[in-house]
Amino acid sequence: MATAKSENSAMKVASDSTLDVERIRADFPILSMVLHAREDRPGVPLVYLDNAATTQRPRQVIQSIVDTYEQHYANVHRGIHWLSDQSTDLYEEARGKVQAFINAQAREEVIFTHGTTESINLVARGWGDKFVQPGDEILLTEMEHHANIVPWQQLAERSGAVIRFLPITDDGQLALDALDQLLTPRTRLVAVTAISNVLGTINPLEVIVARARAVEALVLVDAAQSVPHQKTDVQALGADFLVFSGHKMLGPTGVGVLYGRRELLDAMSPFMGGGSMIRRVTTAGFEPAELPAKFEAGTPPIVPAIGLGAAIDYLNQIGIDAIHEHEMRLCRRAHEALGSIAGLRFLGPAPEHKSGIVSFTLAGVHAHDIAQLLDRHGIAVRAGHHCAMPLHKRLGINASSRASFYFYNTPAEVEQLARAIDDIKRIFRRK
Ligand code: PMP
């Protein structure tokens, strides 16, 4: 079958939950790349620290994609022909893997989309257009990604709703005290990121869900930066919607997930119309299909979803708790190693409140220069506003540099980053 098999996988978790990272890295062909080699120069090994933008894929995921295209591929219309049954089975098996991974109550509550962005737009359209009235309020936070701001601003334009923002503290945590004032009987939805893609802050979702419940508001969790890195249990959390992307968790691009509580999804209107999402169409109108098909118009991301299933298999075998701990260790290491560099300012809170995302500014050096110079060392980081312009404005900066880790990164890579930044500082001091 197309799903990844683990027998020959290098991943094994030691009982004390430390990871055998060297063996894990052997599963990721791209991580052994050497960059910038020339005839007169050997080149430098890739140090991939841009995992918050997208992660790399292990052979097992790549192989599942190849296997599907080579042996199991057709469109997913069950019962039409043998090959179609095969691909339908694999596609639905992947849905089951997602359901188990986030502990959704029912597989119908897992909708495949093309990514986090589409998932949020789906809710803004399918739920927002139907239920949000003029004067209703939607509460966001100052640390949201544009994907969790713009669809709500568009909804506000269409509906007359009002957008409010929960502020952050100077050290990059949510200012929960402000909830008293910002949550009102008109609040219909709180849309909040689980982990900030810039600050790395791990937000106290339980508090937010409880407070939102008290005013009967729904909660949408942008889990793009959390599902790949820490345990997610949508039932324990009590979230109404939770969204994430496959490509940030070893899966292919072009697939994402919308989890929604069944009664909400049932009440919502389909976001897109077309094939597959209908039970019946006449010249007079249409009747939508049952969940999950109701929200999966057209040919869905068949192979990406199957690849995401293989990625979940891989993550499960490593263990999401071990992944989280490893990244927290790398984050602490980064704070230690970079913290002694004069002029370097960390964005966000202390490491104990953060996941494996470390953003910073360096006095006198633009973030884009840092990224370009780090690239000469083979180090890939992200520079800019990271699709969080309101957050950067709040922090009083235009841009920042971001190193983001995954479980295949090593402490040695973190040290390399620190040494390279020190080098960059020296270059700029000389100028
Ligand atoms: N939300 C957050 C917190 C993100 O980090 C990202 C990706 N940078 C997104 C939303 C958007 O995800 P995608 O581009 O996969 O739709």
Side-chain angles (χ1 to χ4, degrees):
M1 296 299 272
T3 46
K5 291 284 177 266
S6 59
E7 297 85 81
N8 52 7
S9 157
M11 54 190 129
K12 274 288 155 273
V13 184
S15 52
D16 65 354
S17 87
T18 54
L19 300 178
D20 186 346
V21 178
E22 282 318 308
R23 293 182 69 196
I24 286 170
R25 288 175 72 87
D27 284 337
F28 291 77
I30 208 166
L31 295 180
S32 49
M33 270 183 83
V34 171
L35 312 182
H36 311 314
R38 286 194 324 219
E39 270 175 19
D40 57 335
R41 216 178 46 190
V44 286
L46 170 68
V47 175
Y48 187 76
L49 304 180
D50 195 16
N51 294 288
T54 197
T55 61
Q56 301 299 343
R57 280 123 208 83
R59 278 202 182 85
Q60 290 83 343
V61 170
I62 297 168
Q63 194 57 48
S64 86
I65 295 165
V66 172
D67 286 350
T68 305
Y69 278 126
E70 287 188 354
Q71 297 167 48
H72 308 287
Y73 183 71
N75 211 329
V76 282
H77 302 294
R78 194 182 290 280
I80 302 296
H81 55 75
W82 183 86
L83 209 48
S84 172
D85 282 353
Q86 289 257 304
S87 68
T88 308
D89 284 351
L90 287 172
Y91 180 67
E92 292 305 326
E93 196 181 290
R95 195 189 307 278
K97 289 177 185 179
V98 172
Q99 178 199 346
F101 196 63
I102 61 171
N103 195 30
Q105 198 168 27
R107 52 176 288 287
E108 292 78 11
E109 294 179 324
V110 173
I111 310 295
F112 281 125
T113 64
H114 292 89
T116 302
T117 303
E118 184 186 320
S119 298
I120 297 173
N121 277 277
L122 192 164
V123 177
R125 289 277 179 180
W127 171 81
D129 283 356
K130 191 160 174 185
F131 296 111
V132 172
Q133 304 291 325
D136 281 350
E137 295 166 13
I138 293 167
L139 180 60
L140 311 178
T141 85
E142 281 182 338
M143 65 168 81
E144 298 310 310
H145 187 282
H146 296 162
N148 200 27
I149 299 177
V150 180
W152 306 117
Q153 291 174 329
Q154 291 174 310
L155 172 63
E157 278 173 15
R158 293 194 299 274
S159 66
V162 178
I163 309 281
R164 300 200 185 284
F165 285 88
L166 182 65
I168 60 165
T169 59
D170 288 339
D171 76 337
Q173 302 197 61
L174 293 178
L176 295 175
D177 291 352
L179 281 175
D180 286 337
Q181 209 201 327
L182 289 169
L183 282 171
T184 78
R186 293 302 307 256
T187 312
R188 301 302 314 278
L189 178 81
V190 180
V192 58
T193 191
I195 293 180
S196 159
N197 68 311
V198 179
L199 307 168
T201 317
I202 301 175
N203 286 326
L205 295 177
E206 328 70 48
V207 176
I208 292 168
V209 170
R211 297 293 303 276
R213 283 280 169 276
V215 295
E216 293 178 21
L218 300 180
V219 177
L220 178 142
V221 177
D222 176 351
Q225 298 294 348
S226 70
V227 166
H229 304 280
Q230 64 180 33
K231 191 168 166 41
T232 304
D233 181 335
V234 289
Q235 292 186 70
L237 182 60
D240 299 292
F241 300 107
L242 183 133
V243 298
F244 54 100
S245 297
H247 69 95
K248 291 183 198 283
M249 52 188 290
L250 313 180
T253 53
V255 66
V257 171
L258 163 64
Y259 158 80
R261 282 198 296 111
R262 188 203 289 258
E263 68 252 43
L264 291 170
L265 295 175
D266 274 335
M268 281 160 57
S269 301
F271 169 38
M272 290 199 291
S276 305
M277 51 67 72
I278 46 83
R279 194 202 307 267
R280 195 171 299 108
V281 182
T282 67
T283 50
F286 75 96
E287 212 184 300
E290 296 293 320
L291 296 174
K294 173 178 166 184
F295 293 107
E296 294 184 1
T299 298
I302 303 167
V303 182
I306 294 167
L308 174 57
I312 288 174
D313 288 342
Y314 191 96
L315 293 171
N316 278 335
Q317 286 177 60
I318 292 182
I320 197 76
D321 290 337
I323 288 172
H324 183 60
E325 279 174 36
H326 180 78
E327 291 170 13
M328 300 279 281
R329 272 196 291 273
L330 292 177
C331 179
R332 281 197 297 274
R333 191 80 163 238
H335 270 252
E336 284 158 18
L338 273 59
S340 57
I341 299 173
L344 188 140
R345 170 190 165 202
F346 290 113
L347 308 183
E352 59 268 29
H353 302 293
K354 274 165 90 147
S355 70
I357 294 177
V358 177
S359 295
F360 57 90
T361 56
L362 191 58
V365 192
H366 193 277
H368 285 123
D369 292 331
I370 295 175
Q372 263 177 20
L373 291 166
L374 286 177
D375 180 62
R376 289 194 200 162
H377 295 257
I379 302 173
V381 300
R382 177 101 191 255
H385 53 63
H386 318 295
C387 298
M389 289 174 90
L391 172 63
H392 279 75
K393 182 154 194 279
R394 162 66 179 83
L395 298 171
I397 52 179
N398 292 324
S400 58
S401 306
R402 178 183 72 188
S404 51
F405 311 121
Y406 212 9
F407 58 91
Y408 43 62
N409 290 123
T410 65
E413 289 180 314
V414 175
E415 309 294 345
Q416 240 175 296
L417 171 71
R419 276 196 305 276
I421 294 173
D422 227 12
D423 255 19
I424 292 169
K425 259 212 80 179
R426 263 196 301 269
I427 295 170
F428 270 81
R429 210 180 301 133
R430 277 201 302 271
K431 275 189 179 174

